[in-house]
Amino acid sequence: MRFLDFFRNKGGSAPVARDRLQIILAHERATLSANPELLATLREEILAVIARHMPIDRDKVNVSMDRGDDVSTLEVEVELPLEGGPNPLHVAAE
Amino acid sequence: MTMAKVIVVTSGKGGVGKTTSTAALGAALAQTGKQVCVVDFDVGLRNLDLVMGAERRVVFDLINVINGEAKLHQAIIRDKRLDNLSLLPASQTRDKDALTEEGVAGVIEEMRDKFDYILCDSPAGIERGATLAMRHADIAVVVTNPEVSSVRDSDRIIGLVDSKTQKAENDERVEKYLLVTRYDPIRADKGEMLKVDDVLEILSIPLLAVVPESQDVLKASNLGMPVTLGSPNSYAARAYTNAARKITGENVSVEIPQDTRGIFSKFFARKAA
Ligand SMILES: Nc1ncnc2c1ncn2[C@@H]1O[C@H](COP(=O)(O)OP(=O)(O)OP(=O)(O)O)[C@@H](O)[C@H]1O
Ligand SMILES: [Mg+2]
């Protein structure tokens, strides 16, 4: 929760609910209606670029998302099979 | 690891508390130390992610896994508060037809050796979505509000559990439990609402818990926390916690919420079912 919210909320949970809804609905209206498969497409294309340069195990790929009110983070974690153990490469996009 | 028990949380009637109960029971089971995954079967109208507080983190969903667009482990979201609690979200953009019988079977099969309990949050209704959610159930939690249409729909759903599940088709028994939610003891006392005993007598399946109509539940949803995590000391949380213990095989008596306005306030435990 942001600092200012602390004063605005007065202990009620409804303002938190409103904020959560505003954020998630803005995202659903913007990205999902335009292209519901955006995340899958992004992941595929990012992986294709990496695969052009090195072999990757598609099972060892993790994509995580955090939708914020100003910025969202998409994190693609790819485990690269190099000698000397796993060496995760992070590709973060905002 | 042992094979997971699959629990369907179902009701027939909409809006009775399935999603709320899936989140609360799932969290309560995880709080006993079990490995738990809650699965949203409400394709097109997902809400379990919101109630669990994970809506901002959804990347892939059940349909992506069924279609082979993502691996199971890529779609599962691990809870930030309990690391033995996970969520498999539903798709918000596809329709119910995207769920296929074989697809669901494959996903449940793959999950069985990874968890102790898999909770399937059923969509309302008695059509495909609801029958697919219950298809692989070992246990059915029938969520019922103490009012006529909900009880009637529950009866209908119990009939489906006894005929449309894989267990039923193999002449095996699905354990069925009644979960009464949104119970208002004051109105039940005044005779304005069905009493728990009335509902039990009509549906005649064992009682799992009685969850009162409660502000704590609403507040927990607002905050994106299952009530057993958000207000662990509330009466509602206790009801769900006891329900979870009962599911794990503990012999727990079911408490019926009482009218707390009297001198002898508080609730007293009572053996039921
Ligand atoms: N014990 C309770 N006390 C007060 N409100 C409750 C309680 N249980 C559920 N609710 C509220 O009832 C509404 C419906 O609950 P929920 O979404 O869990 O029902 P559902 O059966 O999953 O609905 P649907 O059939 O649409 O999927 C929500 O607003 C929820 O917060
Ligand atoms: Mg629901």
Side-chain angles (χ1 to χ4, degrees):
Chain A
M1 197 188 297
R2 277 160 301 154
F3 185 65
L4 278 176
D5 292 342
F6 181 78
F7 297 100
R8 234 189 290 139
N9 286 354
K10 296 214 178 79
S13 61
V16 181
R18 190 204 52 211
D19 286 355
R20 292 176 60 215
L21 282 169
Q22 277 174 345
I23 293 171
I24 200 65
L25 292 184
H27 281 282
E28 286 183 358
R29 287 177 189 144
T31 44
L32 289 182
S33 55
N35 181 1
E37 303 316 319
L38 179 64
L39 283 175
T41 311
L42 275 178
R43 183 187 69 142
E44 287 312 311
E45 293 187 1
I46 291 170
L47 289 185
V49 168
I50 298 172
R52 274 215 299 272
H53 301 282
M54 57 194 77
I56 49 175
D57 182 348
R58 303 182 64 82
D59 283 2
K60 303 243 166 78
V61 176
N62 269 307
V63 185
S64 60
M65 182 81 184
D66 194 357
R67 296 176 181 80
D69 38 5
D70 303 322
V71 276
S72 298
T73 341
L74 172 71
E75 191 179 73
V76 183
E77 190 182 270
V78 185
E79 218 178 271
L80 302 176
L82 300 177
E83 298 107 305
N87 176 14
L89 166 78
H90 291 263
V91 183
E94 282 186 353
Chain B
M1 194 170 196
T2 50
M3 293 292 272
K5 285 221 160 142
V6 178
I7 303 176
V8 63
V9 180
T10 186
S11 70
K13 188 170 159 62
V16 296
K18 293 179 293 295
T19 300
T20 306
S21 298
T22 303
L25 265 182
L29 281 165
Q31 284 167 296
T32 72
K34 304 290 184 189
Q35 295 290 332
V36 178
C37 188
V38 294
V39 185
D40 194 343
F41 272 81
D42 207 342
V43 175
L45 285 173
R46 77 166 173 234
N47 272 323
L48 189 54
D49 57 334
L50 266 178
V51 178
M52 299 284 293
E55 74 279 1
R56 297 191 198 185
R57 297 164 59 212
V58 174
V59 180
F60 299 115
D61 56 57
L62 176 60
I63 303 298
N64 292 134
V65 178
I66 286 178
N67 291 349
E69 293 148 0
K71 295 276 190 253
L72 181 64
H73 74 88
Q74 293 167 332
I76 282 178
I77 302 171
R78 190 171 285 210
D79 191 89
K80 285 197 165 156
R81 298 146 301 202
L82 288 171
D83 70 0
N84 53 336
L85 176 63
S86 303
L87 163 72
L88 180 54
S91 169
Q92 179 71 330
T93 50
R94 315 282 184 90
D95 59 35
K96 285 189 168 56
D97 297 336
L99 271 186
T100 61
E101 167 105 38
E102 312 75 57
V104 171
V107 172
I108 296 285
E109 160 103 1
E110 193 182 345
M111 292 177 85
R112 282 230 194 223
D113 63 357
K114 298 182 177 64
F115 298 96
D116 297 310
Y117 290 98
I118 299 166
L119 280 77
C120 305
D121 179 19
S122 175
I126 52 167
E127 276 101 48
R128 231 170 89 84
T131 52
L132 280 174
M134 68 169 63
R135 186 78 187 134
H136 301 275
D138 302 297
I139 300 173
V141 171
V142 179
V143 181
T144 307
N145 292 163
E147 50 92 21
V148 285
S149 55
S150 174
V151 174
R152 180 206 223 170
D153 291 357
S154 292
D155 190 64
R156 193 77 191 281
I157 275 291
I158 291 169
L160 289 185
V161 169
D162 287 335
S163 60
K164 298 267 183 177
T165 52
Q166 202 132 65
K167 282 222 145 149
E169 285 173 8
N170 295 336
D171 281 330
E172 289 173 83
R173 215 176 58 88
V174 176
E175 282 175 56
K176 287 163 294 186
Y177 292 104
L178 179 66
L179 180 65
V180 176
T181 56
R182 311 201 69 164
Y183 183 74
D184 182 341
I186 297 169
R187 295 185 58 206
D189 270 4
K190 283 193 196 151
E192 294 170 3
M193 185 183 254
L194 288 171
K195 288 186 192 303
V196 174
D197 280 339
D198 300 331
V199 182
L200 268 178
E201 189 188 319
I202 297 166
L203 296 178
S204 58
I205 58 174
L207 182 61
L208 184 62
V210 181
V211 182
E213 174 75 23
S214 149
Q215 289 302 310
D216 300 304
V217 171
L218 215 58
K219 184 178 152 206
S221 301
N222 280 343
L223 300 177
M225 296 206 197
V227 69
T228 56
L229 286 172
S231 305
N233 297 317
S234 63
Y235 191 89
R238 277 206 348 248
Y240 282 118
T241 300
N242 284 341
R245 289 168 55 203
K246 215 171 153 84
I247 286 173
T248 62
E250 265 187 71
N251 193 0
V252 193
S253 58
V254 180
E255 292 177 48
I256 313 287
Q258 305 291 323
D259 181 354
T260 52
R261 296 170 308 172
I263 321 165
F264 300 106
S265 66
K266 286 303 139 199
F267 311 103
F268 57 89
R270 194 199 72 152
K271 295 268 181 218

